[in-house]
Amino acid sequence: MMSWLFTGMLVLSLLFGILNGRMEQVSIAAVNDCGNAVTLILQLAGVMCLWSGLMRVAEASDLTGKLSRLFHPVMRLLFHDLPTGSPAAKAIVMNLTANLLGLGNAATPLGIAAMKELEKAAPQKGKASNEMAMLVVLNTASLQLIPTTTAALRLANGSAAPMEILPAVWLASAVSICAGIFMAKALSGRFH
Amino acid sequence: MNQISNYILPIVIVFIVGYGFIKKVPVFDCFLAGAKEGLATSAQILPALVALITAVGMFKASGALDILTYALRPVARFLRLPQEVIPLAILRPISGSGALVIFQDILQQYGPDSFAGRVASVMQGSTETTFYTIAVYYGATKVQKTRHTLPSALTADLVGFFMSALAVRLLLF
């Protein structure tokens, strides 16, 4: 699926680049943006180390275990084949908590840790398990309770009430997440 | 509100380390062991990031966005989305920084409290950079077949866009 996306985007950029007479910009982007990916990963590496380290500490003190027992009802609903105390379940719970708190930078390393644990337990190597797909779908939706960046930009642009969008954001996120969960459950039988 | 978010991160970090310390965990050694793993993970996801960011960069540079915005007008009308937010809806799943720039543009051009400004705000706040998340999360594993991940995530995005306009109509106008 990602191969389709990758190829599609590249072919479209060639096509539109020719049509718009913007081949120079496309060519510059091809050279520059692969370097940007390295810059991004260097920035990410620090956060990644920080949260992988903190995750290990939280595990050793059984903080993750306590948290995963707290999340037990939600976890049963979304990942019902996953044992509550398993390393994967603990990492998922940490990832979801970070998302809810709006710690987007922390959520990524924790989510990746969860993916690696889920991969160990996956029935078929090289294929996403239902749990892996569910975790990624949850992370592609926005679980953040307070969208701080959005509100800050609204304020900077002179909004009279930057936070007035909150109920609308919650409603839109909730419906969107439910749609994602529903599709992930409904489609899991169709893709082998 | 921004004050609150400034408190959350430091409190969480101190809480995790402090709790570990009280529970007699060798916090520093534990941290180092974990952080080492984080470094390896960063290197592991780099190839996926190079692929995605290069493709998105070329796509944006080609001016495809303008043409797609035009082509998707009927779809936006069907979903009852204001025309002004179409570029944001296209860019939101593929590029986080790109979406932020477009979002800023919309706020500046139409005002944060206009209908388009509010819909854009709700959209920005209720969706995530889908393709980036998929690339990074699976990039850290050996998974090649992502199965139903992409269709499910994109459905959630589409529903999110539609709901953004609906929620603003219901709750703010």
Side-chain angles (χ1 to χ4, degrees), chain A residues 6 13 16 20 22 33 52 56 66 116 119 126 128 130 139-140 153-154 159-160 163-164 173 176 184 188 191, chain B residues 1 19 34 37 41 44 51 57 61-64 67 104 112-113 118 121 126 128 137 142 144-145 147-148 156:
Chain A
F6 184 52
S13 53
F16 287 126
N20 291 333
R22 291 175 61 94
D33 285 335
S52 306
R56 188 64 75 88
K66 286 204 170 66
K116 289 184 159 179
E119 192 184 25
N130 291 344
N139 275 279
T140 62
L153 277 175
R154 284 173 59 78
S159 171
M163 284 294 177
E164 67 173 6
S173 313
S176 148
S188 65
F191 288 79
Chain B
M1 278 301 195
Y19 185 78
E37 229 168 69
T41 309
Q44 231 169 4
S62 71
I67 296 177
Q104 170 85 13
D113 299 326
R118 280 172 166 162
S121 305
S126 63
E128 272 291 331
Y137 276 46
K142 291 188 178 64
Q144 280 147 5
K145 288 199 157 64
R147 293 176 59 224
H148 53 293

Side-chain angles (χ1 to χ4, degrees), chain A residues 11 38 57 64-66 95 140:
Chain A
V11 170
V38 180
V57 173
T64 54
K66 286 204 170 66
N95 165 262
T140 62

Side-chain angles (χ1 to χ4, degrees), chain B residues 25 57 62 64-65 69 74 86 88 90 92 98 105-106 108 112-113 116 119 124 133-134 139 149 168-169:
Chain B
V25 170
S62 71
L65 200 59
T69 302
I86 303 175
L88 181 63
I90 299 171
R92 189 72 183 110
D105 278 352
I106 294 174
Q108 229 160 42
D113 299 326
V119 174
Q124 180 72 25
T133 308
I134 294 180
T149 311
V168 170
R169 276 201 186 86

Side-chain angles (χ1 to χ4, degrees), chain B:
Chain B
M1 278 301 195
N2 275 320
Q3 284 289 1
I4 296 177
S5 65
N6 287 340
Y7 276 82
I8 294 177
L9 183 61
I11 288 177
V12 170
I13 294 177
V14 172
F15 180 73
I16 291 175
V17 175
Y19 185 78
F21 187 81
I22 292 170
K23 289 270 163 178
K24 299 199 167 52
V25 170
V27 281
F28 192 67
D29 303 277
C30 250
F31 182 89
L32 294 190
K36 207 180 203 173
E37 229 168 69
L39 198 62
T41 309
S42 308
Q44 231 169 4
I45 59 176
L46 178 65
L49 267 189
V50 170
L52 184 76
I53 290 181
T54 308
V56 168
M58 287 168 68
F59 183 76
K60 280 195 292 189
S62 71
L65 200 59
D66 302 329
I67 296 177
L68 275 181
T69 302
Y70 185 77
L72 287 176
R73 278 190 174 183
V75 182
R77 207 169 296 134
F78 179 70
L79 294 175
R80 301 193 65 204
L81 287 176
Q83 307 286 332
E84 298 90 330
V85 303
I86 303 175
L88 181 63
I90 299 171
L91 220 47
R92 189 72 183 110
I94 62 176
S95 163
S97 55
L100 218 51
V101 171
I102 297 262
F103 175 54
Q104 170 85 13
D105 278 352
I106 294 174
L107 292 184
Q108 229 160 42
Q109 212 172 332
Y110 307 101
D113 299 326
S114 65
F115 181 61
R118 280 172 166 162
V119 174
S121 305
V122 176
M123 238 184 212
Q124 180 72 25
S126 63
T127 49
E128 272 291 331
T129 320
T130 301
F131 293 175
Y132 170 83
T133 308
I134 294 180
V136 166
Y137 276 46
Y138 281 116
T141 68
K142 291 188 178 64
V143 168
Q144 280 147 5
K145 288 199 157 64
T146 57
R147 293 176 59 224
H148 53 293
T149 311
L150 193 59
S152 310
L154 285 181
T155 308
D157 281 341
L158 211 59
V159 170
F161 296 153
F162 168 70
M163 277 308 296
S164 301
L166 187 65
V168 170
R169 276 201 186 86
L170 287 176
L171 299 171
L172 290 167
F173 271 88

